[in-house]
Amino acid sequence: MTETAALPEAVDEIRSVALRAREASYELAVATRAAKDAALEAMAEALTARSAEILAANAEDVARAEAAGTPANIVDRLRLTDDRLAGMAQGLRDVAALPDPVGEVVRGSTLANGLELRQVRVPFGVVGMIYEARPNVTADAAGLCLKSGNAALLRGSSSARSSNAAITAVLRDAVASAGLPADAVQLVPGDTHESVKALMRARGLVDVLIPRGGAGLIRSVVEESTVPVIETGVGNVHVYVDAAADLDKALAIVLNAKTSRTSVCNSAESLLVHADVAADFLPRVVKELQAASVTVHGDDAFGAYDGVVPATDEDWATEYLSLDIAAAVVPDLEAAIGHIRRWSSGHTEAIVTEDLAAARRFTAAVDSAAVMVNASTRFTDGGEFGFGAEIGISTQKLHARGPMGLPELTSTKFVVTGDGHVR
Amino acid sequence: MTETAALPEAVDEIRSVALRAREASYELAVATRAAKDAALEAMAEALTARSAEILAANAEDVARAEAAGTPANIVDRLRLTDDRLAGMAQGLRDVAALPDPVGEVVRGSTLANGLELRQVRVPFGVVGMIYEARPNVTADAAGLCLKSGNAALLRGSSSARSSNAAITAVLRDAVASAGLPADAVQLVPGDTHESVKALMRARGLVDVLIPRGGAGLIRSVVEESTVPVIETGVGNVHVYVDAAADLDKALAIVLNAKTSRTSVCNSAESLLVHADVAADFLPRVVKELQAASVTVHGDDAFGAYDGVVPATDEDWATEYLSLDIAAAVVPDLEAAIGHIRRWSSGHTEAIVTEDLAAARRFTAAVDSAAVMVNASTRFTDGGEFGFGAEIGISTQKLHARGPMGLPELTSTKFVVTGDGHVR
């Protein structure tokens, strides 16, 4: 069991910002699309108009990180430039261009007694985001929440605290200048883990929490939070090459899934190959993977090839996010399904096959957010799926599963209209 | 903070039943509607064919309850009869008659690159139900879970343990006789709170928990569970009588909402009246409520009438579930909305008005699972809404809100089909 008590002052601070967010959410919930889009445009303009103060704050974060000996690639992720600010502004304009999910009638009918029933999309209210990533997430999250009518409570990483404070200040002014409440966008006060704990226990004050970041962050939020959580992003992703696979397609898909971008959750981490095609496929795939600097962690069958290192259970379980892949030969399709059931994190799995029955069985039996047939696992992405903006990729089954767009940041309510109806 | 550690043996027991449920869920997920409906019919037949053993077990529970001095109305809720068993059987047949939610294509398109995208309804997998109610819930929950392709882990109240064990044994045999796995329906072993604790911490083994019962049970599950929870049923329900109300309709709606059935979550607990109609409406409504044996807990305006007892903040917050109502006069519509925002549990609120602008403002500003215009709050019900079976009424915003039918017992997955597509 995890210790979840937070210090009283942290609880009071969260309570105070959450209540202000709740007040703001009442205005946001009834704001028109035109009003929200105008605010998003004002936010985009402000990011570039006030770039000097944001870059100055960012320089503080960068200097602190460098002084602490932070690796250069991490410092680079932290660093903002005029180009990156322009990208953040464009992201806000892209969100403005998306349809407003609020007010969509999801379902509706007239009941036998004449009552008119409508199920309508409404905002959650107050959305908490806890993230470790680059400071651009602060603007992304604020924009997505505002467009979906939600007040945002943002808790970024402490390494980006100066940048996040400056970005939030700029965005709040812009929201207010467009006539919506500045408290639609708030940074969670405090820089300690206490404030995160208090946020996670603010059930009733915060409607949903979305953690974005590494597996450790997400696990701790999932375990400690009494606020409902949408779990995102851990991907122990498998590609299964079937007996009936086109091996050229299989090779292209494995290489794309593993090497096109290793640090993302939809990249492949494990390769399973049907025994019938192992003699043909293994030499080709091992050679090409190694030519792309990938270390193959293989079972005995893969172990017969030079440079393959032996795989342990830890390899089957690992989301490498690096130029490594676990690889095994399986006797048949059911064994592949069994392996995936045991080890997958339920993000994305792919089968490569020309056999319709195998494709049908795999897509029915594999219980992951996305199941691909003859396509790279890298396609599991809100942009690729045509959803426009992406809040994250849900790997839980409740509420949203897979890439989440704006509608996934909403709830619904039933509006029932009668003329004095009683039961 | 609540102590949530469970005893190791309880954890092991839950793990064992949950793993068996997981295995069963693989078969259930791909079972056809015909196979599931045949199992439901077999379950219905078995409940009446084997009524003797169920009634004998129930007699043990009843005897134990009576020996413990349990109030007669509670003992009556516990008691099974041939009629009640026939009702449970009919309930299972009604579920068989409902459409199968599994396999429904929720969304689909062909992407610009030719990838075919489909979002398909799939079962959650393993659903845990924790309930305090009558033993008939055991059959209801088993039937709803089976139809939606989920394996059910059932934890009823210990007062009904013999009945629940007998019903579950009968249902398991019936499921197996119809060719589906008996472990689709399991009772959670153990009779102590330890087993409930272990169930609530079985994240990864159990996909979702649905507590049904009193506010205390639901609060404890929501606070202690690391398994995702769907919160159901607490209703501090308001009726607001607007300045533009038809007072005859208002009177009928208030009486129906308060008195047609007091023990249910959609019954009214608070009455708010616009000051402009108070002089006309208060004497009528107080008189009629009192004639129906309702105690009115009123503010100063209501307090002017005989028999009205003074209301405190506790009254505004209380879900009475009895012949009591809290009542206040408000200066205007916004004050009514403010009162509801402060005190409502977000279940159902109603406005009585002939003024379209007032109705629009109320339905937009009141953030509850159901918002009624000129209709009794008692209509918030899966059966009334035409959903057929009802698992419960969700008062949370994540996943499902309001009455939940079979589709709300499912998740979705994306199935993406290509021809060797890579990014």
Side-chain angles (χ1 to χ4, degrees):
Chain A
M1 196 188 51
T2 319
E3 173 60 54
T4 50
L7 296 177
E9 51 270 45
V11 171
D12 287 347
E13 280 183 339
I14 290 292
R15 189 176 167 76
S16 159
V17 293
L19 289 175
R20 290 211 307 274
R22 177 71 60 200
E23 282 298 319
S25 79
Y26 297 144
E27 273 188 68
L28 283 174
V30 296
T32 61
R33 172 173 178 176
K36 292 186 287 190
D37 290 353
L40 288 163
E41 176 61 31
M43 291 157 76
E45 279 172 30
L47 282 181
T48 42
R50 291 171 64 179
S51 60
E53 63 192 272
I54 296 172
L55 294 178
N58 181 250
E60 292 172 23
D61 288 331
V62 167
R64 202 167 44 236
E66 284 174 338
T70 307
N73 64 324
I74 306 286
V75 174
D76 180 60
R77 287 162 62 102
L78 190 58
R79 186 175 284 118
L80 291 175
T81 62
D82 280 322
D83 269 3
R84 286 182 175 178
L85 284 175
M88 289 159 64
Q90 186 55 46
L92 292 168
R93 292 189 173 104
D94 291 345
V95 170
L98 291 172
D100 188 343
V102 175
E104 184 195 346
V105 178
V106 175
R107 203 162 28 166
S109 64
T110 301
L111 304 179
N113 58 10
L115 275 180
E116 288 169 18
L117 181 71
R118 285 183 298 138
Q119 187 179 15
V120 184
R121 276 201 194 287
V122 296
F124 280 127
V126 178
V127 173
M129 302 274 298
I130 303 178
Y131 50 98
E132 290 175 330
R134 295 166 282 198
N136 63 311
V137 174
T138 302
D140 281 0
L144 291 164
C145 287
L146 188 129
K147 178 79 184 211
S148 54
N150 293 297
L153 292 184
L154 305 171
R155 178 56 156 84
S157 69
S158 55
S159 64
R161 60 177 176 266
S162 300
S163 313
N164 289 338
I167 293 166
T168 305
V170 166
L171 296 179
R172 285 169 55 88
D173 288 351
V175 169
S177 77
L180 289 178
D183 284 338
V185 181
Q186 292 183 82
L187 219 52
V188 170
D191 201 35
T192 63
H193 190 58
E194 294 306 321
S195 64
V196 180
K197 281 185 186 170
L199 183 61
M200 294 191 294
R201 307 295 291 184
R203 192 175 177 96
L205 295 168
V206 177
D207 292 298
V208 61
L209 268 187
I210 305 177
R212 283 178 63 171
L217 167 73
I218 290 166
R219 191 169 48 244
S220 98
V221 174
V222 158
E223 292 195 347
E224 294 187 38
S225 182
T226 58
V227 175
V229 171
I230 301 180
E231 190 178 353
T232 62
V234 175
N236 184 12
V237 165
H238 295 72
V239 177
Y240 165 61
V241 178
D242 187 48
D246 176 323
L247 297 185
D248 293 336
K249 290 179 193 168
L251 197 60
I253 287 170
V254 170
L255 281 161
N256 182 264
K258 179 68 253 179
T259 67
S260 61
R261 201 165 158 209
T262 52
S263 64
V264 289
C265 58
N266 59 15
S267 64
E269 307 293 5
S270 279
L271 167 65
L272 303 172
V273 178
H274 193 291
D276 288 0
V277 292
D280 282 349
F281 190 62
L282 263 51
R284 291 178 67 188
V285 75
V286 169
K287 185 181 161 203
E288 295 269 354
L289 284 167
Q290 290 176 342
S293 306
V294 176
T295 301
V296 178
H297 304 254
D299 67 352
D300 289 348
F302 273 90
Y305 297 88
D306 278 351
V308 172
V309 302
T312 64
D313 273 2
E314 207 183 316
D315 289 292
W316 311 129
T318 297
E319 185 189 23
Y320 295 113
L321 299 175
S322 61
L323 286 168
D324 293 86
I325 195 165
V329 169
V330 291
D332 54 25
L333 171 60
E334 293 306 316
I337 292 167
H339 182 105
I340 289 167
R341 281 177 176 163
R342 177 156 184 209
W343 298 109
S344 170
S345 63
H347 187 295
T348 301
E349 330 298 335
I351 183 174
V352 187
T353 190
E354 302 296 314
D355 176 352
L356 181 58
R360 278 169 56 91
R361 172 65 186 155
F362 188 86
T363 54
V366 169
D367 186 29
S368 296
V371 186
M372 306 279 171
V373 178
N374 295 332
S376 170
T377 57
R378 294 274 290 109
F379 284 108
T380 302
D381 174 89
E384 293 292 328
F385 280 10
F387 300 167
E390 178 184 287
I391 290 92
I393 295 177
S394 166
T395 51
Q396 70 179 34
K397 296 181 184 175
L398 213 63
H399 184 70
R401 197 176 190 205
M404 294 188 288
L406 286 172
E408 282 69 36
L409 277 181
T410 66
S411 183
T412 61
K413 71 179 169 196
F414 288 99
V415 176
V416 185
T417 307
D419 187 34
H421 285 65
V422 295
R423 275 180 83 176
Chain B
M1 194 188 53
T2 318
E3 172 61 54
T4 51
L7 297 177
E9 51 270 44
V11 171
D12 287 346
E13 281 184 335
I14 290 293
R15 189 175 167 76
S16 160
V17 296
L19 289 175
R20 290 210 306 276
R22 177 71 60 200
E23 282 299 319
S25 79
Y26 297 143
E27 275 188 66
L28 284 174
V30 296
T32 61
R33 172 173 179 176
K36 292 186 286 189
D37 289 355
L40 289 163
E41 176 59 32
M43 291 157 76
E45 278 172 30
L47 282 181
T48 43
R50 292 171 63 178
S51 60
E53 64 192 274
I54 296 172
L55 295 178
N58 181 248
E60 292 172 25
D61 289 333
V62 168
R64 204 168 43 239
E66 285 174 337
T70 307
N73 64 324
I74 306 285
V75 174
D76 180 62
R77 286 164 62 104
L78 189 57
R79 187 176 283 119
L80 291 175
T81 62
D82 280 322
D83 269 4
R84 285 182 176 177
L85 284 175
M88 289 158 65
Q90 187 55 47
L92 291 169
R93 292 191 173 101
D94 291 346
V95 170
L98 292 172
D100 188 344
V102 175
E104 184 195 347
V105 178
V106 175
R107 206 164 21 166
S109 64
T110 300
L111 304 180
N113 58 9
L115 275 180
E116 289 169 18
L117 181 72
R118 285 182 300 138
Q119 186 179 16
V120 184
R121 275 199 193 289
V122 296
F124 279 128
V126 178
V127 173
M129 301 273 299
I130 303 178
Y131 50 98
E132 289 174 332
R134 295 166 282 197
N136 65 310
V137 174
T138 302
D140 282 0
L144 292 164
C145 286
L146 188 129
K147 179 78 183 210
S148 54
N150 293 295
L153 291 184
L154 305 172
R155 179 55 157 83
S157 69
S158 54
S159 64
R161 60 178 176 264
S162 302
S163 313
N164 288 338
I167 292 167
T168 305
V170 166
L171 296 179
R172 285 170 55 87
D173 288 351
V175 169
S177 77
L180 290 178
D183 284 338
V185 182
Q186 291 182 84
L187 219 52
V188 171
D191 201 36
T192 63
H193 191 57
E194 294 305 321
S195 63
V196 180
K197 280 185 188 171
L199 183 61
M200 293 190 296
R201 306 296 291 184
R203 189 174 180 97
L205 295 167
V206 177
D207 293 298
V208 60
L209 269 187
I210 306 177
R212 284 178 61 172
L217 167 74
I218 290 166
R219 189 168 50 245
S220 97
V221 173
V222 156
E223 292 195 348
E224 295 187 36
S225 183
T226 58
V227 175
V229 171
I230 302 180
E231 189 177 354
T232 62
V234 175
N236 184 12
V237 165
H238 296 73
V239 177
Y240 164 62
V241 178
D242 186 51
D246 175 323
L247 296 185
D248 293 334
K249 291 180 192 169
L251 197 61
I253 287 170
V254 170
L255 281 161
N256 182 265
K258 179 69 254 180
T259 68
S260 60
R261 202 165 158 208
T262 51
S263 65
V264 289
C265 59
N266 58 16
S267 64
E269 307 294 5
S270 278
L271 167 65
L272 303 173
V273 178
H274 192 291
D276 288 359
V277 292
D280 282 347
F281 190 62
L282 262 52
R284 292 178 67 188
V285 75
V286 168
K287 184 180 161 206
E288 297 268 354
L289 283 168
Q290 289 175 342
S293 307
V294 176
T295 302
V296 179
H297 304 254
D299 67 350
D300 289 348
F302 273 90
Y305 297 88
D306 278 351
V308 171
V309 300
T312 64
D313 272 0
E314 207 183 317
D315 289 291
W316 311 130
T318 297
E319 184 189 22
Y320 295 114
L321 298 174
S322 61
L323 286 168
D324 293 85
I325 195 165
V329 170
V330 290
D332 55 26
L333 172 60
E334 292 306 317
I337 292 168
H339 182 105
I340 289 167
R341 282 179 175 161
R342 176 156 184 209
W343 299 109
S344 170
S345 63
H347 187 295
T348 301
E349 331 298 335
I351 182 174
V352 187
T353 190
E354 303 296 315
D355 176 352
L356 181 58
R360 279 169 55 91
R361 172 64 187 155
F362 189 85
T363 55
V366 169
D367 185 29
S368 296
V371 187
M372 306 279 171
V373 179
N374 295 332
S376 170
T377 57
R378 294 273 291 107
F379 284 108
T380 303
D381 175 88
E384 293 292 325
F385 279 10
F387 300 166
E390 178 184 286
I391 289 92
I393 296 177
S394 167
T395 50
Q396 70 179 34
K397 295 181 184 176
L398 212 61
H399 184 70
R401 197 174 190 207
M404 294 188 287
L406 285 171
E408 282 69 36
L409 277 180
T410 66
S411 183
T412 60
K413 71 179 168 197
F414 288 99
V415 176
V416 185
T417 306
D419 188 34
H421 285 65
V422 294
R423 276 179 81 176

mmCIF file of all heavy atoms in Angstrom, chain B residues 129-157:
data_model
loop_
_atom_site.group_PDB
_atom_site.id
_atom_site.type_symbol
_atom_site.label_atom_id
_atom_site.label_comp_id
_atom_site.label_asym_id
_atom_site.label_seq_id
_atom_site.Cartn_x
_atom_site.Cartn_y
_atom_site.Cartn_z
ATOM 1 N N MET B 129 -18.867 -7.211 -9.229
ATOM 2 C CA MET B 129 -20.049 -6.514 -8.707
ATOM 3 C C MET B 129 -20.053 -6.686 -7.191
ATOM 4 O O MET B 129 -19.967 -7.812 -6.691
ATOM 5 C CB MET B 129 -21.333 -7.127 -9.258
ATOM 6 C CG MET B 129 -21.462 -7.109 -10.765
ATOM 7 S SD MET B 129 -22.184 -5.567 -11.414
ATOM 8 C CE MET B 129 -23.779 -5.592 -10.628
ATOM 9 N N ILE B 130 -20.151 -5.585 -6.466
ATOM 10 C CA ILE B 130 -20.256 -5.630 -5.003
ATOM 11 C C ILE B 130 -21.612 -5.036 -4.662
ATOM 12 O O ILE B 130 -21.892 -3.900 -5.028
ATOM 13 C CB ILE B 130 -19.132 -4.816 -4.333
ATOM 14 C CG1 ILE B 130 -17.762 -5.324 -4.785
ATOM 15 C CG2 ILE B 130 -19.256 -4.885 -2.819
ATOM 16 C CD1 ILE B 130 -16.593 -4.526 -4.203
ATOM 17 N N TYR B 131 -22.458 -5.822 -3.992
ATOM 18 C CA TYR B 131 -23.829 -5.347 -3.796
ATOM 19 C C TYR B 131 -24.353 -5.775 -2.445
ATOM 20 O O TYR B 131 -23.933 -6.770 -1.871
ATOM 21 C CB TYR B 131 -24.739 -5.834 -4.922
ATOM 22 C CG TYR B 131 -24.657 -7.316 -5.206
ATOM 23 C CD1 TYR B 131 -25.587 -8.213 -4.681
ATOM 24 C CD2 TYR B 131 -23.636 -7.820 -6.005
ATOM 25 C CE1 TYR B 131 -25.506 -9.568 -4.941
ATOM 26 C CE2 TYR B 131 -23.543 -9.177 -6.271
ATOM 27 C CZ TYR B 131 -24.472 -10.046 -5.739
ATOM 28 O OH TYR B 131 -24.366 -11.388 -5.998
ATOM 29 N N GLU B 132 -25.297 -4.978 -1.981
ATOM 30 C CA GLU B 132 -25.887 -5.240 -0.669
ATOM 31 C C GLU B 132 -27.310 -5.747 -0.812
ATOM 32 O O GLU B 132 -27.909 -6.171 0.163
ATOM 33 C CB GLU B 132 -25.936 -3.935 0.140
ATOM 34 C CG GLU B 132 -24.568 -3.460 0.606
ATOM 35 C CD GLU B 132 -24.627 -2.095 1.266
ATOM 36 O OE1 GLU B 132 -25.519 -1.290 0.932
ATOM 37 O OE2 GLU B 132 -23.767 -1.840 2.120
ATOM 38 N N ALA B 133 -27.825 -5.689 -2.005
ATOM 39 C CA ALA B 133 -29.265 -5.815 -2.163
ATOM 40 C C ALA B 133 -29.715 -7.262 -2.062
ATOM 41 O O ALA B 133 -28.983 -8.154 -1.633
ATOM 42 C CB ALA B 133 -29.679 -5.216 -3.492
ATOM 43 N N ARG B 134 -30.918 -7.499 -2.481
ATOM 44 C CA ARG B 134 -31.572 -8.793 -2.392
ATOM 45 C C ARG B 134 -30.855 -9.829 -3.251
ATOM 46 O O ARG B 134 -30.161 -9.469 -4.218
ATOM 47 C CB ARG B 134 -33.015 -8.617 -2.860
ATOM 48 C CG ARG B 134 -33.774 -7.712 -1.911
ATOM 49 C CD ARG B 134 -35.068 -7.267 -2.511
ATOM 50 N NE ARG B 134 -34.851 -6.204 -3.484
ATOM 51 C CZ ARG B 134 -35.816 -5.406 -3.922
ATOM 52 N NH1 ARG B 134 -37.044 -5.541 -3.501
ATOM 53 N NH2 ARG B 134 -35.547 -4.464 -4.799
ATOM 54 N N PRO B 135 -31.059 -11.111 -2.957
ATOM 55 C CA PRO B 135 -30.335 -12.158 -3.700
ATOM 56 C C PRO B 135 -30.673 -12.193 -5.190
ATOM 57 O O PRO B 135 -29.905 -12.760 -5.973
ATOM 58 C CB PRO B 135 -30.751 -13.461 -3.000
ATOM 59 C CG PRO B 135 -31.838 -13.115 -2.041
ATOM 60 C CD PRO B 135 -31.795 -11.657 -1.805
ATOM 61 N N ASN B 136 -31.791 -11.589 -5.608
ATOM 62 C CA ASN B 136 -32.098 -11.574 -7.036
ATOM 63 C C ASN B 136 -31.041 -10.839 -7.840
ATOM 64 O O ASN B 136 -30.877 -11.094 -9.031
ATOM 65 C CB ASN B 136 -33.484 -10.955 -7.285
ATOM 66 C CG ASN B 136 -33.527 -9.490 -6.883
ATOM 67 O OD1 ASN B 136 -33.111 -9.149 -5.781
ATOM 68 N ND2 ASN B 136 -34.000 -8.643 -7.762
ATOM 69 N N VAL B 137 -30.300 -9.907 -7.190
ATOM 70 C CA VAL B 137 -29.237 -9.193 -7.907
ATOM 71 C C VAL B 137 -28.183 -10.179 -8.422
ATOM 72 O O VAL B 137 -27.556 -9.949 -9.461
ATOM 73 C CB VAL B 137 -28.591 -8.110 -7.003
ATOM 74 C CG1 VAL B 137 -27.399 -7.461 -7.697
ATOM 75 C CG2 VAL B 137 -29.621 -7.060 -6.636
ATOM 76 N N THR B 138 -27.987 -11.289 -7.724
ATOM 77 C CA THR B 138 -26.998 -12.281 -8.149
ATOM 78 C C THR B 138 -27.332 -12.803 -9.552
ATOM 79 O O THR B 138 -26.451 -12.874 -10.420
ATOM 80 C CB THR B 138 -26.957 -13.444 -7.135
ATOM 81 O OG1 THR B 138 -26.638 -12.892 -5.855
ATOM 82 C CG2 THR B 138 -25.920 -14.485 -7.522
ATOM 83 N N ALA B 139 -28.596 -13.133 -9.793
ATOM 84 C CA ALA B 139 -28.989 -13.607 -11.123
ATOM 85 C C ALA B 139 -28.972 -12.473 -12.140
ATOM 86 O O ALA B 139 -28.499 -12.646 -13.271
ATOM 87 C CB ALA B 139 -30.376 -14.254 -11.063
ATOM 88 N N ASP B 140 -29.493 -11.313 -11.753
ATOM 89 C CA ASP B 140 -29.483 -10.147 -12.654
ATOM 90 C C ASP B 140 -28.079 -9.842 -13.148
ATOM 91 O O ASP B 140 -27.840 -9.686 -14.345
ATOM 92 C CB ASP B 140 -29.955 -8.888 -11.905
ATOM 93 C CG ASP B 140 -31.457 -8.832 -11.737
ATOM 94 O OD1 ASP B 140 -32.140 -9.769 -12.207
ATOM 95 O OD2 ASP B 140 -31.929 -7.856 -11.140
ATOM 96 N N ALA B 141 -27.154 -9.718 -12.200
ATOM 97 C CA ALA B 141 -25.792 -9.314 -12.543
ATOM 98 C C ALA B 141 -25.118 -10.374 -13.397
ATOM 99 O O ALA B 141 -24.426 -10.060 -14.376
ATOM 100 C CB ALA B 141 -24.979 -9.065 -11.269
ATOM 101 N N ALA B 142 -25.335 -11.646 -13.052
ATOM 102 C CA ALA B 142 -24.738 -12.724 -13.844
ATOM 103 C C ALA B 142 -25.254 -12.682 -15.279
ATOM 104 O O ALA B 142 -24.490 -12.838 -16.240
ATOM 105 C CB ALA B 142 -25.054 -14.078 -13.204
ATOM 106 N N GLY B 143 -26.548 -12.450 -15.437
ATOM 107 C CA GLY B 143 -27.139 -12.414 -16.772
ATOM 108 C C GLY B 143 -26.644 -11.235 -17.601
ATOM 109 O O GLY B 143 -26.304 -11.381 -18.777
ATOM 110 N N LEU B 144 -26.590 -10.051 -16.993
ATOM 111 C CA LEU B 144 -26.137 -8.861 -17.715
ATOM 112 C C LEU B 144 -24.676 -8.995 -18.128
ATOM 113 O O LEU B 144 -24.294 -8.638 -19.245
ATOM 114 C CB LEU B 144 -26.322 -7.616 -16.836
ATOM 115 C CG LEU B 144 -27.777 -7.227 -16.563
ATOM 116 C CD1 LEU B 144 -27.862 -6.263 -15.393
ATOM 117 C CD2 LEU B 144 -28.400 -6.613 -17.812
ATOM 118 N N CYS B 145 -23.855 -9.520 -17.223
ATOM 119 C CA CYS B 145 -22.435 -9.699 -17.549
ATOM 120 C C CYS B 145 -22.283 -10.723 -18.666
ATOM 121 O O CYS B 145 -21.533 -10.494 -19.617
ATOM 122 C CB CYS B 145 -21.651 -10.133 -16.308
ATOM 123 S SG CYS B 145 -21.413 -8.792 -15.124
ATOM 124 N N LEU B 146 -22.994 -11.838 -18.569
ATOM 125 C CA LEU B 146 -22.849 -12.875 -19.592
ATOM 126 C C LEU B 146 -23.267 -12.353 -20.965
ATOM 127 O O LEU B 146 -22.572 -12.556 -21.963
ATOM 128 C CB LEU B 146 -23.647 -14.115 -19.206
ATOM 129 C CG LEU B 146 -23.385 -15.306 -20.125
ATOM 130 C CD1 LEU B 146 -23.031 -16.552 -19.331
ATOM 131 C CD2 LEU B 146 -24.549 -15.568 -21.056
ATOM 132 N N LYS B 147 -24.388 -11.661 -21.016
ATOM 133 C CA LYS B 147 -24.857 -11.157 -22.311
ATOM 134 C C LYS B 147 -23.857 -10.184 -22.922
ATOM 135 O O LYS B 147 -23.675 -10.150 -24.148
ATOM 136 C CB LYS B 147 -26.212 -10.465 -22.140
ATOM 137 C CG LYS B 147 -26.776 -9.880 -23.420
ATOM 138 C CD LYS B 147 -27.401 -10.939 -24.324
ATOM 139 C CE LYS B 147 -27.894 -10.344 -25.628
ATOM 140 N NZ LYS B 147 -29.058 -11.072 -26.179
ATOM 141 N N SER B 148 -23.206 -9.392 -22.087
ATOM 142 C CA SER B 148 -22.230 -8.431 -22.598
ATOM 143 C C SER B 148 -20.843 -9.056 -22.737
ATOM 144 O O SER B 148 -19.872 -8.351 -23.007
ATOM 145 C CB SER B 148 -22.188 -7.191 -21.696
ATOM 146 O OG SER B 148 -21.961 -7.558 -20.350
ATOM 147 N N GLY B 149 -20.753 -10.382 -22.583
ATOM 148 C CA GLY B 149 -19.492 -11.084 -22.846
ATOM 149 C C GLY B 149 -18.481 -11.005 -21.731
ATOM 150 O O GLY B 149 -17.300 -11.313 -21.937
ATOM 151 N N ASN B 150 -18.918 -10.583 -20.538
ATOM 152 C CA ASN B 150 -17.999 -10.437 -19.416
ATOM 153 C C ASN B 150 -18.126 -11.587 -18.427
ATOM 154 O O ASN B 150 -19.225 -12.075 -18.163
ATOM 155 C CB ASN B 150 -18.319 -9.142 -18.654
ATOM 156 C CG ASN B 150 -18.036 -7.900 -19.459
ATOM 157 O OD1 ASN B 150 -16.879 -7.629 -19.794
ATOM 158 N ND2 ASN B 150 -19.083 -7.153 -19.805
ATOM 159 N N ALA B 151 -17.024 -12.020 -17.864
ATOM 160 C CA ALA B 151 -17.061 -12.927 -16.729
ATOM 161 C C ALA B 151 -17.387 -12.108 -15.476
ATOM 162 O O ALA B 151 -16.862 -11.009 -15.299
ATOM 163 C CB ALA B 151 -15.724 -13.634 -16.561
ATOM 164 N N ALA B 152 -18.263 -12.652 -14.626
ATOM 165 C CA ALA B 152 -18.749 -11.919 -13.455
ATOM 166 C C ALA B 152 -18.137 -12.467 -12.179
ATOM 167 O O ALA B 152 -18.148 -13.674 -11.934
ATOM 168 C CB ALA B 152 -20.275 -12.010 -13.377
ATOM 169 N N LEU B 153 -17.582 -11.569 -11.358
ATOM 170 C CA LEU B 153 -17.175 -11.904 -9.988
ATOM 171 C C LEU B 153 -18.168 -11.213 -9.069
ATOM 172 O O LEU B 153 -18.224 -9.986 -9.015
ATOM 173 C CB LEU B 153 -15.764 -11.396 -9.700
ATOM 174 C CG LEU B 153 -14.631 -12.092 -10.453
ATOM 175 C CD1 LEU B 153 -13.281 -11.540 -9.975
ATOM 176 C CD2 LEU B 153 -14.680 -13.591 -10.223
ATOM 177 N N LEU B 154 -18.951 -12.010 -8.350
ATOM 178 C CA LEU B 154 -20.074 -11.470 -7.600
ATOM 179 C C LEU B 154 -19.794 -11.502 -6.101
ATOM 180 O O LEU B 154 -19.382 -12.521 -5.551
ATOM 181 C CB LEU B 154 -21.330 -12.295 -7.908
ATOM 182 C CG LEU B 154 -21.670 -12.405 -9.399
ATOM 183 C CD1 LEU B 154 -22.803 -13.399 -9.626
ATOM 184 C CD2 LEU B 154 -22.055 -11.041 -9.955
ATOM 185 N N ARG B 155 -20.021 -10.364 -5.431
ATOM 186 C CA ARG B 155 -19.848 -10.300 -3.996
ATOM 187 C C ARG B 155 -21.103 -9.678 -3.403
ATOM 188 O O ARG B 155 -21.254 -8.458 -3.390
ATOM 189 C CB ARG B 155 -18.600 -9.464 -3.656
ATOM 190 C CG ARG B 155 -18.332 -9.295 -2.161
ATOM 191 C CD ARG B 155 -18.261 -10.652 -1.480
ATOM 192 N NE ARG B 155 -17.508 -10.619 -0.242
ATOM 193 C CZ ARG B 155 -17.995 -10.254 0.937
ATOM 194 N NH1 ARG B 155 -19.234 -9.864 1.055
ATOM 195 N NH2 ARG B 155 -17.216 -10.290 2.008
ATOM 196 N N GLY B 156 -22.031 -10.526 -2.981
ATOM 197 C CA GLY B 156 -23.271 -10.048 -2.371
ATOM 198 C C GLY B 156 -23.087 -9.809 -0.891
ATOM 199 O O GLY B 156 -21.983 -9.913 -0.352
ATOM 200 N N SER B 157 -24.179 -9.487 -0.217
ATOM 201 C CA SER B 157 -24.069 -9.238 1.218
ATOM 202 C C SER B 157 -23.985 -10.572 1.953
ATOM 203 O O SER B 157 -24.540 -11.581 1.516
ATOM 204 C CB SER B 157 -25.269 -8.435 1.708
ATOM 205 O OG SER B 157 -26.427 -9.227 1.659
#
